Amino acid sequence: MVYNKYASPVVSVFVVVMIFSHAAAYDMLDPTGNITIKWDVMSWTPDGYVAVVTMTNFQMYRHIMSPGWTLGWTWAKKEVIWSMVGAQATEQGDCSKFKGNIPHCCKRNPTVVDLLPGVPYNQQIANCCKGGVVASWGQDPSAAVSSLQLSVGLAGTTNKTVRLPKNFTLLAPGRGYTCSQAKIVPPTAFYSSDGRRRTQAMMTWNVTCTYSQILASRNPTCCVSMSSFYNSTITPCKNCSCGCQNRNNCVQSGSEIRSVVGMNTPSNTPLLQCTQHMCPVRVHWHVKLNYKDYWRVKISITNFNYATNYAQWTLVVQHPNLNNVTEVFSFDYKPLIPYKSTNDTGMFYGLKFFNDVLMQAGADGNAQSELILQKDVNTFTFKQGWAFPRKVYFNGDECMMPLPEDYPYLPNSVHRIPISSSALGGFLLLLLLGFW
Ligand SMILES: *[C@@H]1O[C@H](CO)[C@@H](O)[C@H](O)[C@H]1NC(C)=O
Ligand SMILES: *[C@@H]1O[C@H](CO)[C@@H](O)[C@H](O)[C@H]1NC(C)=O
Ligand SMILES: *[C@@H]1O[C@H](CO)[C@@H](O)[C@H](O)[C@H]1NC(C)=O
Ligand SMILES: *[C@@H]1O[C@H](CO)[C@@H](O)[C@H](O)[C@H]1NC(C)=O
Ligand SMILES: *[C@@H]1O[C@H](CO)[C@@H](O)[C@H](O)[C@H]1NC(C)=O
Ligand SMILES: *[C@@H]1O[C@H](CO)[C@@H](O)[C@H](O)[C@H]1NC(C)=O
Ligand SMILES: *[C@@H]1O[C@H](CO)[C@@H](O)[C@H](O)[C@H]1NC(C)=O
Ligand SMILES: CC(=O)N[C@H]1CO[C@H](CO)[C@@H](O)[C@@H]1O
């Protein structure tokens, strides 16, 4: 017995090491999540081709927020971009050898960004011009697509002579993606709006980009705090959950900053309210009520960033009782089922035109929901921190949790030390089961 008690944590530590070593390419809660970039060569031209490039965000809960994506690649030979619709190259490069008709971009490694909404119609194509903002697949598949069209010159003019671009890069605010090599796939079929006429791309190649935690910022960007009806302790976010390097530039709450910063300008540099945790976002989980067959949780998300409105935000929660969500108020909810055997993870997101934008820090900088869960008599308990989430992600980034021994705990329950170590052990066991 004594031996078992110690053997399990050793195995668990090993598992955790395994998980972190896989972290770069693998998201346990969204194992197939990726962004696919598809090039459809629509027609050949005298010196190249016209292609429609479509970026589809298949990630369940990770969107691309303002100021949007940046796509780059390296041409295989001396290709140029004659023109582009629905996007633009950030630099033209050296086009000095062209006279008269000057290409849009002559760089060997072009960098392309989306156009803003409201550009003239002749510069638009379907799914373009959203300022590079792309929704997550789980939230809105119809808005999870971004397209552009480009006319390429000095390129091959048949499917035998064309060369695929190399070294694709995809950047999104605050994060990096790692992209595969382009791979020739069966040409895309297109259907007319009445579905009767079928046309086909001349040639299609795909590139798959996966979220890379290593490229993304090293510090967490959100933290979790907790409270319960059965204990008056409020467990705050851990100090410096998101790193404290911004502490000298933070803004005291209530100070008059409206005159200092341009409001509503999305920015990569957060302007944070001074807090102990120094996170731009805090998620609070309150165990609110206990009914006979049900229990009730209140979730509050608070924005401490004066520089950003989080549009199309997502919140992912892992908790064993999410398989029996009965009702969710004020948020949309969708279960995520990465593994057939478990149904303990779900995503929450705002209701359109109501709270789908988490406003900048201040009086309106929060969004709240309550949920009712049905108890499973075999597993339900308020002991050992069971009522609190195992993992929380905001906008696809994992939030820093309090230490298990700091969770509000049920008065007069078992002794303190076993509580925390078994809660931690159970958490690790959960990881173990989830991973294999
Ligand atoms: C990308 O995501 C789609 C949709 O989830 C999936 O079908 C496809 O297999 C994924 N591709 C890769 C290379 O993971
Ligand atoms: C190239 O085009 C020809 C004729 O359209 C077609 O038969 C062939 O399968 C294509 N090859 C590739 C690799 O797409
Ligand atoms: C692509 O990237 C690899 C590794 O960074 C580099 O070795 C290679 O030269 C690059 N290819 C082109 C065409 O830039
Ligand atoms: C290429 O990407 C598209 C999404 O744009 C996807 O539907 C298709 O299945 C992909 N093809 C392959 C072979 O992965
Ligand atoms: C967190 O910071 C507060 C205020 O500076 C301090 O009172 C508290 O002891 C700190 N907690 C920890 C665990 O360091
Ligand atoms: C997962 O749980 C949700 C409720 O949260 C339920 O609607 C759904 O049917 C469950 N799916 C499976 C496969 O058990
Ligand atoms: C409430 O939880 C805190 C933190 O875990 C604990 O220190 C405290 O003893 C609990 N209160 C009661 C009345 O048990
Ligand atoms: C009490 C209750 O409704 N339990 C159900 C929770 O959900 C699982 C499936 O996800 C059911 O098998 C349980 O009966």
Side-chain angles (χ1 to χ4, degrees):
M1 283 308 281
V2 173
Y3 196 82
N4 276 341
K5 192 177 162 193
Y6 288 96
S8 140
V10 172
V11 173
S12 304
V13 167
F14 173 68
V15 171
V16 169
V17 170
M18 291 287 292
I19 289 167
F20 279 107
S21 66
H22 284 71
Y26 196 74
D27 179 348
M28 286 209 296
L29 302 183
D30 189 13
T32 63
N34 67 68
I35 298 181
T36 301
I37 301 163
K38 179 167 67 93
W39 287 54
D40 288 311
V41 175
M42 305 305 289
S43 59
W44 302 108
T45 60
D47 76 334
Y49 59 87
V50 173
V52 172
V53 178
T54 307
M55 200 186 292
T56 308
N57 182 9
F58 288 116
Q59 299 180 107
M60 285 308 287
Y61 53 80
R62 204 169 273 127
H63 69 310
I64 302 180
M65 61 189 278
S66 183
W69 51 261
T70 303
L71 180 64
W73 64 83
T74 306
W75 291 118
K77 294 198 287 190
K78 303 227 176 301
E79 290 88 340
V80 295
I81 302 171
W82 281 117
S83 62
M84 203 178 273
V85 183
Q88 65 181 8
T90 55
E91 288 174 79
Q92 186 176 35
D94 179 9
C95 294
S96 59
K97 67 176 182 184
F98 291 88
K99 302 279 178 279
N101 205 2
I102 312 287
H104 174 74
C105 175
C106 300
K107 280 185 75 97
R108 184 138 194 276
N109 53 345
T111 302
V112 172
V113 294
D114 196 9
L115 300 177
L116 292 171
V119 297
Y121 281 113
N122 63 2
Q123 293 173 32
Q124 295 192 13
I125 64 162
N127 297 316
C128 84
C129 314
K130 302 186 283 191
V133 172
V134 185
S136 63
W137 190 261
Q139 184 168 359
D140 187 358
S142 70
V145 184
S146 195
S147 298
L148 61 97
Q149 179 186 301
L150 76 178
S151 170
V152 182
L154 306 188
T157 55
T158 68
N159 64 5
K160 298 220 162 55
T161 54
V162 74
R163 293 280 168 268
L164 309 192
K166 293 181 161 46
N167 285 6
F168 280 87
T169 56
L170 177 61
L171 292 175
R175 53 178 61 128
Y177 288 86
T178 309
C179 297
S180 71
Q181 286 190 344
K183 195 173 132 238
I184 295 173
V185 299
T188 308
F190 299 95
Y191 294 91
S192 59
S193 51
D194 60 2
R196 295 191 323 125
R197 257 177 317 114
R198 180 183 188 273
T199 53
Q200 188 175 306
M202 297 290 151
M203 188 178 180
T204 301
W205 56 82
N206 273 11
V207 175
T208 307
C209 303
T210 47
Y211 172 63
S212 166
Q213 233 159 337
I214 299 211
L215 288 173
S217 67
R218 266 173 298 124
N219 283 320
T221 52
C222 56
C223 62
V224 177
S225 58
M226 299 169 171
S227 57
S228 64
F229 68 84
Y230 52 76
N231 182 325
S232 60
T233 304
I234 296 174
T235 305
C237 284
K238 270 163 72 173
N239 286 2
C240 298
S241 286
C242 300
C244 271
Q245 67 272 34
N246 287 327
R247 191 156 254 177
N248 296 329
N249 303 321
C250 66
V251 177
Q252 294 298 333
S253 82
S255 51
E256 197 50 55
I257 61 141
R258 261 154 215 289
S259 50
V260 185
V261 280
M263 282 293 136
N264 298 324
T265 35
S267 161
N268 281 330
T269 357
L271 183 60
L272 296 184
Q273 185 176 313
C274 301
T275 54
Q276 292 300 330
H277 50 77
M278 288 301 287
C279 290
V281 171
R282 181 188 67 199
V283 178
H284 185 81
W285 181 279
H286 176 62
V287 179
K288 188 174 175 180
L289 280 171
N290 184 25
Y291 310 106
K292 182 163 165 286
D293 297 322
Y294 299 88
W295 57 298
R296 190 174 182 119
V297 170
K298 178 172 182 180
I299 300 176
S300 318
I301 311 173
T302 309
N303 186 356
F304 291 97
N305 186 349
Y306 287 103
T308 302
N309 293 334
Y310 294 95
Q312 295 175 314
W313 58 268
T314 62
L315 181 75
V316 169
V317 174
Q318 189 177 23
H319 188 284
N321 213 162
L322 286 182
N323 62 347
N324 295 99
V325 169
T326 304
E327 197 159 1
V328 177
F329 300 92
S330 313
F331 288 175
D332 267 327
Y333 177 74
K334 187 176 280 183
L336 296 173
I337 310 181
Y339 302 96
K340 299 270 179 293
S341 55
T342 57
N343 188 7
D344 63 352
T345 308
M347 69 182 277
F348 299 85
Y349 50 98
L351 302 176
K352 226 167 193 157
F353 309 121
F354 175 57
N355 55 8
D356 58 335
V357 180
L358 178 61
M359 300 300 282
Q360 73 221 9
D364 299 326
N366 64 82
Q368 293 174 1
S369 168
E370 297 200 0
L371 56 154
I372 296 178
L373 303 118
Q374 186 175 15
K375 295 176 184 174
D376 177 342
V377 284
N378 298 318
T379 54
F380 178 83
T381 176
F382 285 125
K383 289 182 188 164
Q384 302 179 351
W386 191 88
F388 295 101
R390 307 301 184 264
K391 276 174 184 274
V392 175
Y393 290 59
F394 180 78
N395 276 356
D397 287 328
E398 191 168 351
C399 303
M400 179 66 89
M401 304 289 287
L403 295 172
E405 59 261 36
D406 293 333
Y407 288 21
Y409 85 85
L410 199 57
N412 308 323
S413 65
V414 235
H415 190 258
R416 186 186 174 94
I417 299 302
I419 287 171
S420 56
S421 64
S422 68
L424 183 63
F427 171 69
L428 291 171
L429 185 66
L430 209 118
L431 283 179
L432 181 93
L433 294 174
F435 194 62
W436 277 294

